Amino acid sequence: MTTAPDRALTALHGLLTGRGLDLPPNAPKGGRASDEALDRIWETRPFAVAAALTEQVHGVLPLLDSFAAGAPLLDDIRAGHVTASLGLFTPNALLSLTAPAVRADRDGDRTLLHGRYRYATQDAEASVVPVRLDGATRLALVTHDAAGVRLHGAGRAAGWGWAELDGAPAAALSRPVDWAPGGELTAALDAYAWAFARRALAWPARVVADLRRALARAGEGVEALSTSQYLAHELSKLEIEISLASAAARFGAGFKTEEPGGQAALATLLSTVDLIRRTARTAEDMATELGLEHSPAGVADRPDAADRPDAADWPDAALQAYFGGRRVVENELARRMGLVPEAVGA
């Protein structure tokens, strides 16, 4: 499942304009225009901005086709006037994507939602959430300012990242969807996973390069931290794994000529989210234990980075929220490998 290039470019332009930004200069034209624009956005914008745009273009837009034409919010999301996130990746007891965390109940001509979901984009105004209704899985559009919606954080994330629903109205409902290998949800997840992994791995690569430069500045001669074999080994392990994962991500679905629902997409995605997490932890440890400055690539993702260029806190929530985090991706890969049972029948 892919997004039409012109539709994707329209959404990118609207989303950037809403943030007071512009498309990269000399944006290409033709079939790859939106992909090349996203590539440049990843090169020039903080992780949180680039990841949010990638999710809306490659994750949200394709799934909007499962809603009836003219449903509320659809045109605004497609035009980039509304920032939307995916609420597909909510941890539960089985850490399973196939078990919707939100319940839908009929109330006359309205559908009311109960439960909770996780979303990854800090400034999201709406989310696409899987719900269980009448024995089938559907997608619901939920606006974050609707009655019955309470947003809150987890860990060090203040005020965002999770939504609690207590009788919140669904702005729109999709037709039934499923996680079968040929289903809309699986196709959208795999296409989004490849698009994300291919670009997001540049972030840990930049952070590791920043760390090497910081080590080189810490000390002189044989006392420089950059001469430590132990520290060099830590960074070299990350560099090798990032390089291998990047190679797999560049091949994309052609890596093993897999159809949606295969293992390659999730294996590459798992490597990506794990390397992002480990790189952030390594940088945090080196800053805390060795007194190194934080990588500019990480500090730039703080909401107040412009006001505090020397900010010390890392944007853990922005880095780890996509796809629900390492454990959810790991479980989905295990499900595809046949190692865990299905939580809900397709």
Side-chain angles (χ1 to χ4, degrees), residues 44-286:
T44 58
R45 302 297 180 190
F47 181 97
V49 172
L53 299 184
T54 303
E55 180 172 85
Q56 183 143 341
V57 168
H58 287 283
V60 174
L61 292 188
L63 290 177
L64 295 187
D65 294 336
S66 63
F67 290 83
L73 289 182
L74 293 188
D75 290 342
D76 284 340
I77 294 174
R78 286 178 174 136
H81 298 154
V82 170
T83 299
S85 188
L86 290 178
L88 302 181
F89 311 112
T90 302
N92 50 42
L94 296 175
L95 297 176
S96 173
L97 299 182
T98 63
V102 174
R103 184 184 82 253
D105 297 318
R106 303 282 191 187
D107 181 24
D109 60 352
R110 299 194 308 162
T111 302
L112 302 182
L113 309 178
H114 302 265
R116 67 172 192 157
Y117 63 86
R118 183 179 186 179
Y119 66 98
T121 300
Q122 181 172 0
D123 56 356
E125 302 162 271
S127 291
V128 177
V129 183
V131 301
R132 199 72 177 162
L133 180 65
D134 299 334
T137 298
R138 297 175 184 264
L139 298 175
L141 270 176
V142 181
T143 56
H144 287 181
D145 61 355
V149 177
R150 183 178 71 88
L151 305 182
H152 64 93
R156 289 189 291 177
W160 68 277
W162 292 81
E164 295 280 348
L165 306 180
D166 184 12
L173 281 174
S174 76
R175 63 175 179 267
V177 295
D178 59 55
W179 287 103
E184 294 98 329
L185 297 178
T186 299
L189 170 58
D190 285 19
Y192 171 35
W194 286 122
F196 180 87
R198 182 170 69 81
R199 298 174 173 92
L201 284 164
W203 187 88
R206 287 199 300 271
V207 172
V208 170
D210 288 343
L211 290 175
R212 286 204 179 276
R213 285 189 287 269
L215 288 174
R217 293 193 298 267
E220 298 179 357
V222 295
E223 300 302 322
L225 286 173
S226 57
T227 64
S228 165
Q229 292 185 1
Y230 173 73
L231 298 177
H233 180 62
E234 280 194 86
L235 296 182
S236 294
K237 284 194 301 182
L238 284 173
E239 284 175 326
I240 292 169
E241 292 183 54
I242 291 168
S243 176
L244 292 173
S246 297
R250 284 195 298 272
F251 279 110
F255 179 46
K256 294 183 67 177
T257 319
E258 280 191 337
E259 297 296 322
Q263 297 173 20
L266 267 293
T268 305
L269 178 62
L270 178 58
S271 294
T272 300
V273 297
D274 187 54
L275 283 165
I276 289 171
R277 180 186 64 87
R278 286 168 51 203
T279 300
R281 288 290 177 266
T282 298
E284 181 73 30
D285 288 347
M286 288 190 173

